[in-house]
Amino acid sequence: MPMTRKEFLKLTGKGAAAAGLGFFAFLNEPRGFAADVLESDTLKRIHQHIDDNLDRHLAKIQEFLRQPSVSSWNLGVQDCAEMLVGYFKQLGCQETNLVPTAGYPGVWAWYDAGAKKTISRYFMYDTQPYDEKEWSSPPLAANVVPFPPFKSALIARGAINSKGPLVAFLNALESTIAVTGTLPVNLMFTCDGEEEQGSPHFHEVLHPYHDRLKTCSAHLNPGPSQNRDGQVSMYLGNKGILYIELEASGQRWGRGPQRMPIHSSRKAIMDSPVWRLVDALKTLYDQQSNRILVDGYYDKIAPPSDEEKMLVATLIEKFKDRAFGSERENARVWLQDWSDEEAIRRLVHDTTLNIDGIWGGYTGPGVATILPEKAACKIDSRLVPDQVIQEQEKLIRAHLDRHGYSDIEMRTLGGGDEWSRTSVTAPAVQSVLSVYKKYNIEPAIWPRSAGSSPQAQYTRAPLNLPACSGGLGHGGRAHAVDEYFVIEGNDQVAGLADCEKSMVDILFAYAHWPS
Amino acid sequence: MPMTRKEFLKLTGKGAAAAGLGFFAFLNEPRGFAADVLESDTLKRIHQHIDDNLDRHLAKIQEFLRQPSVSSWNLGVQDCAEMLVGYFKQLGCQETNLVPTAGYPGVWAWYDAGAKKTISRYFMYDTQPYDEKEWSSPPLAANVVPFPPFKSALIARGAINSKGPLVAFLNALESTIAVTGTLPVNLMFTCDGEEEQGSPHFHEVLHPYHDRLKTCSAHLNPGPSQNRDGQVSMYLGNKGILYIELEASGQRWGRGPQRMPIHSSRKAIMDSPVWRLVDALKTLYDQQSNRILVDGYYDKIAPPSDEEKMLVATLIEKFKDRAFGSERENARVWLQDWSDEEAIRRLVHDTTLNIDGIWGGYTGPGVATILPEKAACKIDSRLVPDQVIQEQEKLIRAHLDRHGYSDIEMRTLGGGDEWSRTSVTAPAVQSVLSVYKKYNIEPAIWPRSAGSSPQAQYTRAPLNLPACSGGLGHGGRAHAVDEYFVIEGNDQVAGLADCEKSMVDILFAYAHWPS
């Protein structure tokens, strides 16, 4: 017998945590308000339809991945947007169209099922760049290959981040409509073609639809969320991101080479913009102490909330050993030799200042003797509550000016992803948790991911929607070589079919959850 | 009536400087010991032969420039060496052959004229790389184009540095042989195909010929030496060069990403090799004070000699206004806001630490959010007496180790060009000065150039040859876009014909100079 909402909230509240039950107490209980629907014949028939049509579903994912959409390179993004509009039409959306922006177009679509609840769904359809010669299978070929320890996986740029899961969700909807004639919820889709650029124009996609999106009750994004071992981490929010370029140039500085590199022997009498950049960077961050030295950079950071504290305590208590899974391969020690416990806290709570790239002068093979006329770097900073992108940016500018580096040019790239957070008590979150329970998965719940997304545009003013994502399935190597999406899994990890089935489950669970 | 050598030395000695005459007093006198030969019929007939064969001479220069020889790119260097051997054979050299090294081959050639004196002549036949799309005429086309304020110039990579002048010298020899049947001096040629790499293997070219080269009385390198205004600067030596790469990597450090870049959100818990490199660099040099911070880096520097002091004093007194000619276009102010006088002193006497290039992470357009697994830079240091390359290199390594950066990998690139110096009183120098006098050119004499060359391999032990270069003609933009060599000059600047004629003059002046 399902708990009442009141009973549930009692279990997930402070009292339960104090009693050592934590937020996961409910997992030992029936699946909340969604138990009946998750066992229904309707769902079983939809699952069967997915199994029967899996080859076609996979082919559609491959079709979408073979259309490049590398926003950094201006490669195929517009064509990919138009392909996505076509998919929404096939699905039977009452509305779908490109949404022009100052950059690449976004995409809007609306599926009106005449249902009580409306869900907001986000897609990104652009990808990171790639260096094809490093891949074992070409990044645009979207080949399905044996992929131990899984039976098979699809290799492609965008396979997991996020064009593969995007089409998997459309496949799940298609099967639902095929079996039931409609969907259990109405859906409003808003899609970004510049996510990998930091979503600089996504607000232009959302803005015309603000009044429509306000009718949604949640921003719910089902998708493959298992790690290599089949375990799940759930993120109830994300950090914001500030992305800038800093450039030292002789011209702006009025010192050193003014217009072009000069013979390096001239270093005896001329200043170097490269050394200038090194000097300026050194004032921003101290590597030894891991301290951001920008004046006031930490001032706006709020202390962790009680809910965050409890979630982090539970993470450390129950999930410490799997918190960093495959990451361990690429990291021997954490910053400052932190323990895993401390690293979990820092990953959740810390702001950062990272150099994504640095360049200047001759960077090819062998020797060239030049004094470069400029040098530059890309810097990103992850922001936590209550840091605000524009304010942090101003702090960096003011710091450089105050330390005598007003000649260092600062260019904003991307920008727009503020931090986001949703409470674990939100029905959208509880619905997803109920589906994990159905499959005997106990997720590690993180108050926020260390990364960024445009989610704040849904979860903060003016829309204020609770947001959640989750589901079965697995992929990896996002942003890296041989990005993959598991098609046939193993005992721990779901393949494509179960991934799509869990997406259907989540929609039905949420549709039936009391609100 | 020519001065005696004793009289001349008196004039160029300390006494003359004290009397305000400086090293240039002799320029108001007859052309030393070379006056007669410089006005001889023989020279006039050779000059006429150059005029009569100029089209063919130019065509041969173009042929050599169209054969690429970019040592950084492994492009055409071997073919170029073989072409050069062919040229020496055409000239009638008794010996010529490739000299194998661990890198690109060098070239040896010997022309035995049965003369009393033997001159050592150096050629380099490799070039810097180029970015063809930036050039107004393709760098391998070697087109002759109108080139104001000159009537015409040849545009090519290597046009002036130094494949153009190399063939011009061979042309001058060819005309001399055509008219006189021989040369006034014997010549030993040793040629480097890796000069732009810092001549890492040139000692392997010289070593087998050390006993032969010891029979030379001078290392004399006639070549175009006029600037844009027709003026001449003469360099009696050069600085040494140390060229290294420094790399910070997660793998060597044992911190940060170990094998590949990781998502930049991980900066919250992982160290960054890019910040590590910034940190290490900052300990090497202070931009604000222009101070190299490497412990002991200045210790070996000898105070300027009396001759150097007098040469620099004369430079400042008579040539300050033209010391930096076209350089002023690319430099608004000198380091530390030095006066031109101080800049002249520093250019002659200061050691340097320059970042030629720096790179790490994502350096393309737009946004990529990665924490790079490594970052590196190229650094060159110009060395002055009595700094020694290997010792300075050890100081940097020891400094990094002492400051906790033993994980920073240090790779030596190039290496081998120590500093060089020759006294202004050497007959080779005086011969070149007498030719300038013939053409009413008063050169600015620098104790050394701020740049580097393998010249020390001739001027220091075991060969100990005095070295000098000089001659009419002009070219520019070495190492840069649209490198050029003037073919038809103007009232101030000699064209190719006069360039070759002055080369002939220098050989005859030296042949007749008392030794």
Side-chain angles (χ1 to χ4, degrees):
Chain A
M1 202 187 104
M3 292 180 284
T4 64
R5 183 157 172 74
K6 201 174 158 193
E7 287 168 341
F8 179 77
L9 287 177
K10 224 168 94 179
L11 270 177
T12 58
K14 286 190 204 180
L21 295 170
F23 289 102
F24 303 95
F26 81 98
L27 288 168
N28 299 319
E29 301 296 318
R31 285 189 287 287
F33 303 104
D36 293 345
V37 71
L38 288 177
E39 303 296 341
S40 66
D41 277 353
T42 305
L43 271 193
K44 280 172 191 151
R45 280 186 293 130
I46 299 170
H47 286 191
Q48 185 61 49
H49 188 275
I50 289 172
D51 286 331
D52 294 344
N53 289 273
L54 198 64
D55 288 350
R56 205 170 41 78
H57 283 188
L58 172 60
K60 188 162 178 174
I61 293 174
Q62 289 172 308
E63 177 187 64
F64 197 54
L65 287 168
R66 286 166 187 158
Q67 167 61 50
S69 55
V70 184
S71 46
S72 285
W73 291 349
N74 190 13
L75 178 68
V77 184
Q78 175 86 24
D79 289 344
C80 192
E82 284 164 11
M83 189 178 271
L84 184 54
V85 166
Y87 289 173
F88 285 128
K89 281 183 184 157
Q90 281 179 343
L91 194 70
C93 285
Q94 284 85 342
E95 294 179 16
T96 180
N97 50 268
L98 296 189
V99 186
T101 73
Y104 295 115
V107 175
W108 156 262
W110 177 45
Y111 189 101
D112 182 8
K116 217 171 65 179
K117 293 181 184 174
T118 304
I119 284 173
S120 160
R121 177 68 165 99
Y122 166 80
F123 284 153
M124 58 181 275
Y125 65 91
D126 66 328
T127 71
Q128 283 278 315
Y130 45 79
D131 186 355
E132 174 157 351
K133 67 179 187 301
E134 298 184 354
W135 288 56
S136 70
S137 169
L140 291 179
N143 291 322
V144 175
V145 300
F147 204 81
F150 314 113
K151 201 163 168 204
S152 68
L154 200 152
I155 309 278
R157 175 54 87 223
I160 187 65
N161 180 28
S162 302
K163 290 163 79 177
L166 183 161
V167 178
F169 186 70
L170 296 180
N171 289 337
L173 299 183
E174 185 225 75
S175 285
T176 305
I177 294 169
V179 170
T180 69
T182 186
L183 294 174
V185 291
N186 313 314
L187 276 159
M188 290 183 182
F189 297 91
T190 40
C191 316
D192 187 5
E194 303 180 320
E195 203 274 349
E196 298 296 1
Q197 297 293 309
S199 305
H201 305 103
F202 191 55
H203 58 283
E204 299 174 36
V205 179
L206 288 186
H207 192 262
Y209 298 99
H210 267 170
D211 287 344
R212 308 282 295 275
L213 291 165
K214 278 179 187 167
T215 66
C216 297
S217 52
H219 184 61
L220 188 52
N221 290 285
S225 304
Q226 291 183 282
N227 69 11
R228 280 182 78 83
D229 302 318
Q231 298 156 336
V232 166
S233 295
M234 176 184 266
Y235 301 95
L236 298 178
N238 54 261
K239 294 186 186 174
I241 183 169
L242 161 66
Y243 203 108
I244 55 175
E245 276 182 10
L246 296 182
E247 182 177 287
S249 77
Q251 199 159 37
R252 278 178 66 100
W253 191 15
R255 309 191 67 87
Q258 293 295 295
R259 290 193 322 265
M260 59 180 97
I262 198 166
H263 194 275
S264 75
S265 63
R266 269 41 201 167
K267 181 61 187 72
I269 53 171
M270 286 172 73
D271 280 295
S272 160
V274 191
W275 281 117
R276 179 76 173 164
L277 182 66
V278 167
D279 237 49
L281 286 173
K282 178 66 186 163
T283 73
L284 296 178
Y285 176 77
D286 182 58
Q287 180 258 307
Q288 308 266 3
S289 64
N290 182 39
R291 185 85 192 157
I292 299 171
L293 305 175
V294 177
D295 312 311
Y297 211 76
Y298 299 98
D299 289 358
K300 279 295 196 74
I301 297 176
S305 68
D306 288 344
E307 180 177 312
E308 285 172 357
K309 278 185 202 164
M310 278 189 290
L311 286 171
V312 169
T314 307
L315 273 174
I316 289 173
E317 183 193 329
K318 300 190 71 174
F319 299 100
K320 189 186 74 175
D321 293 341
R322 66 186 227 207
F324 299 110
S326 67
E327 229 156 332
R328 271 290 186 201
E329 293 172 25
N330 204 16
R332 280 170 56 184
V333 291
W334 305 126
L335 262 174
Q336 305 289 307
D337 295 315
W338 289 325
S339 64
D340 282 357
E341 290 88 335
E342 185 65 10
I344 289 170
R345 283 184 208 105
R346 298 290 186 153
L347 201 54
V348 169
H349 294 302
D350 273 11
T351 187
T352 63
L353 202 64
N354 175 60
I355 300 178
D356 302 84
I358 187 167
W359 67 98
Y362 180 72
T363 59
V367 167
T369 45
I370 58 166
L371 167 53
E373 85 286 16
K374 61 184 176 183
C377 67
K378 294 175 193 277
I379 288 185
D380 82 277
S381 175
R382 304 287 172 169
L383 306 180
V384 296
D386 290 315
Q387 291 177 307
V388 177
I389 294 173
Q390 285 196 337
E391 292 177 9
Q392 301 303 122
E393 198 176 340
K394 277 184 197 158
L395 289 175
I396 296 175
R397 177 74 271 168
H399 173 98
L400 289 171
D401 292 346
R402 196 174 312 119
H403 288 75
Y405 297 102
S406 51
D407 56 292
I408 304 268
E409 188 178 3
M410 185 165 136
R411 297 185 284 259
T412 308
L413 293 186
D417 288 353
E418 300 283 4
W419 54 262
S420 166
R421 64 177 159 193
T422 290
S423 167
V424 73
T425 61
V429 179
Q430 295 298 329
S431 302
V432 173
L433 290 174
S434 72
V435 173
Y436 283 133
K437 176 65 180 167
K438 170 180 173 180
Y439 296 103
N440 294 313
I441 288 174
E442 184 174 1
I445 305 181
W446 296 71
R448 69 180 59 81
S449 81
S452 306
S453 87
Q455 200 169 70
Q457 300 192 47
Y458 302 96
T459 60
R460 296 176 64 185
L463 298 180
N464 297 314
L465 302 176
C468 191
S469 61
L472 303 192
H474 169 66
R477 306 193 61 134
H479 293 214
V481 167
D482 285 348
E483 181 177 349
Y484 68 95
F485 182 20
V486 169
I487 300 304
E488 298 166 281
N490 55 24
D491 286 349
Q492 286 77 44
V493 165
L496 177 61
D498 287 338
C499 169
E500 294 185 3
K501 290 172 190 172
S502 72
M503 291 168 162
V504 175
D505 291 353
I506 288 170
L507 293 186
F508 276 86
Y510 183 71
H512 289 77
W513 205 271
S515 59
Chain B
M1 202 187 105
M3 292 179 286
T4 65
R5 180 158 173 74
K6 198 173 161 194
E7 286 167 341
F8 180 78
L9 287 175
K10 223 168 97 181
L11 271 174
T12 58
K14 285 190 206 178
L21 294 170
F23 288 102
F24 303 95
F26 80 98
L27 289 168
N28 299 319
E29 302 296 319
R31 287 189 287 285
F33 305 102
D36 293 343
V37 71
L38 289 176
E39 303 297 339
S40 67
D41 276 352
T42 305
L43 273 192
K44 279 171 192 154
R45 280 186 293 131
I46 299 170
H47 287 193
Q48 186 60 48
H49 187 277
I50 289 171
D51 285 331
D52 295 344
N53 290 273
L54 199 64
D55 287 351
R56 204 170 41 76
H57 283 187
L58 172 60
K60 188 162 177 176
I61 294 174
Q62 289 172 309
E63 178 188 64
F64 198 55
L65 288 168
R66 285 167 188 157
Q67 167 61 52
S69 55
V70 184
S71 47
S72 286
W73 290 347
N74 191 13
L75 179 67
V77 185
Q78 173 88 19
D79 289 344
C80 191
E82 285 165 10
M83 189 178 273
L84 184 54
V85 166
Y87 289 172
F88 284 128
K89 281 183 185 157
Q90 281 179 341
L91 194 69
C93 285
Q94 283 85 342
E95 294 180 13
T96 180
N97 50 268
L98 296 189
V99 185
T101 75
Y104 296 115
V107 175
W108 157 263
W110 177 45
Y111 189 100
D112 181 9
K116 216 172 68 182
K117 294 183 183 171
T118 303
I119 285 173
S120 160
R121 178 66 166 101
Y122 165 78
F123 284 154
M124 57 179 276
Y125 65 90
D126 67 325
T127 70
Q128 283 276 318
Y130 45 80
D131 186 355
E132 175 158 349
K133 67 179 186 301
E134 297 184 355
W135 289 54
S136 69
S137 169
L140 290 179
N143 291 322
V144 175
V145 300
F147 203 81
F150 315 112
K151 201 163 169 204
S152 68
L154 200 155
I155 309 277
R157 175 56 84 222
I160 187 64
N161 178 27
S162 305
K163 292 162 78 179
L166 181 161
V167 179
F169 186 70
L170 296 181
N171 289 337
L173 299 183
E174 185 223 73
S175 285
T176 304
I177 295 168
V179 170
T180 70
T182 186
L183 294 174
V185 291
N186 313 313
L187 278 159
M188 291 183 181
F189 297 91
T190 39
C191 316
D192 188 6
E194 302 179 320
E195 202 275 350
E196 298 297 2
Q197 297 291 311
S199 305
H201 306 103
F202 192 55
H203 59 282
E204 300 176 34
V205 180
L206 288 186
H207 191 263
Y209 299 99
H210 268 170
D211 287 343
R212 308 283 294 275
L213 290 166
K214 278 178 185 166
T215 66
C216 296
S217 53
H219 185 61
L220 187 51
N221 290 285
S225 304
Q226 292 183 279
N227 70 11
R228 279 182 80 80
D229 302 321
Q231 298 155 336
V232 166
S233 295
M234 175 185 266
Y235 301 94
L236 297 177
N238 55 258
K239 294 186 186 174
I241 183 169
L242 161 65
Y243 203 108
I244 55 175
E245 277 182 9
L246 297 181
E247 181 177 286
S249 76
Q251 200 159 35
R252 277 179 67 99
W253 191 15
R255 310 191 66 87
Q258 293 296 295
R259 291 193 322 265
M260 59 179 99
I262 197 167
H263 195 276
S264 75
S265 62
R266 269 41 201 169
K267 181 64 189 69
I269 53 171
M270 284 172 75
D271 279 295
S272 160
V274 191
W275 281 115
R276 179 76 172 164
L277 182 67
V278 167
D279 237 48
L281 286 174
K282 177 66 185 163
T283 73
L284 296 178
Y285 176 75
D286 182 57
Q287 179 259 308
Q288 309 265 4
S289 63
N290 182 40
R291 185 86 192 156
I292 298 170
L293 304 175
V294 176
D295 312 312
Y297 211 75
Y298 298 98
D299 289 358
K300 278 295 195 76
I301 297 176
S305 69
D306 288 343
E307 179 178 313
E308 284 172 357
K309 278 185 201 163
M310 280 189 288
L311 287 172
V312 169
T314 307
L315 273 174
I316 290 172
E317 182 194 330
K318 300 189 71 174
F319 299 100
K320 188 185 76 180
D321 293 340
R322 66 186 227 206
F324 298 111
S326 67
E327 230 156 327
R328 270 289 185 200
E329 294 171 22
N330 204 14
R332 281 170 54 182
V333 291
W334 305 127
L335 263 173
Q336 305 288 306
D337 294 316
W338 289 325
S339 63
D340 282 357
E341 290 87 336
E342 185 65 11
I344 289 170
R345 282 183 209 107
R346 299 290 186 153
L347 201 53
V348 169
H349 295 302
D350 274 12
T351 187
T352 62
L353 202 64
N354 176 60
I355 301 177
D356 302 85
I358 189 167
W359 67 97
Y362 180 72
T363 59
V367 168
T369 44
I370 59 167
L371 167 53
E373 85 284 19
K374 61 184 175 183
C377 67
K378 293 174 194 278
I379 287 184
D380 82 276
S381 175
R382 304 288 172 168
L383 306 179
V384 296
D386 291 316
Q387 291 176 307
V388 176
I389 295 173
Q390 285 197 337
E391 292 177 8
Q392 301 304 120
E393 198 175 339
K394 279 184 195 156
L395 289 175
I396 296 175
R397 178 73 271 168
H399 174 98
L400 289 171
D401 292 346
R402 196 173 313 119
H403 287 75
Y405 298 101
S406 50
D407 56 293
I408 304 268
E409 188 178 3
M410 184 164 136
R411 298 186 282 261
T412 307
L413 293 186
D417 288 352
E418 300 282 5
W419 54 263
S420 167
R421 65 177 158 193
T422 291
S423 168
V424 72
T425 61
V429 179
Q430 296 298 330
S431 302
V432 173
L433 290 174
S434 71
V435 173
Y436 283 134
K437 175 65 179 168
K438 169 180 174 181
Y439 296 103
N440 294 310
I441 287 173
E442 186 174 358
I445 305 181
W446 295 71
R448 70 181 58 82
S449 80
S452 306
S453 89
Q455 201 169 68
Q457 299 193 46
Y458 303 94
T459 62
R460 295 174 65 183
L463 298 181
N464 296 313
L465 302 177
C468 191
S469 59
L472 305 192
H474 168 67
R477 307 191 61 133
H479 293 214
V481 167
D482 286 348
E483 181 177 352
Y484 69 94
F485 182 19
V486 169
I487 301 304
E488 297 165 281
N490 56 24
D491 286 349
Q492 286 77 45
V493 165
L496 176 60
D498 288 340
C499 168
E500 294 185 2
K501 291 172 190 173
S502 72
M503 291 168 160
V504 176
D505 293 352
I506 289 169
L507 293 185
F508 277 86
Y510 183 71
H512 289 78
W513 205 272
S515 60

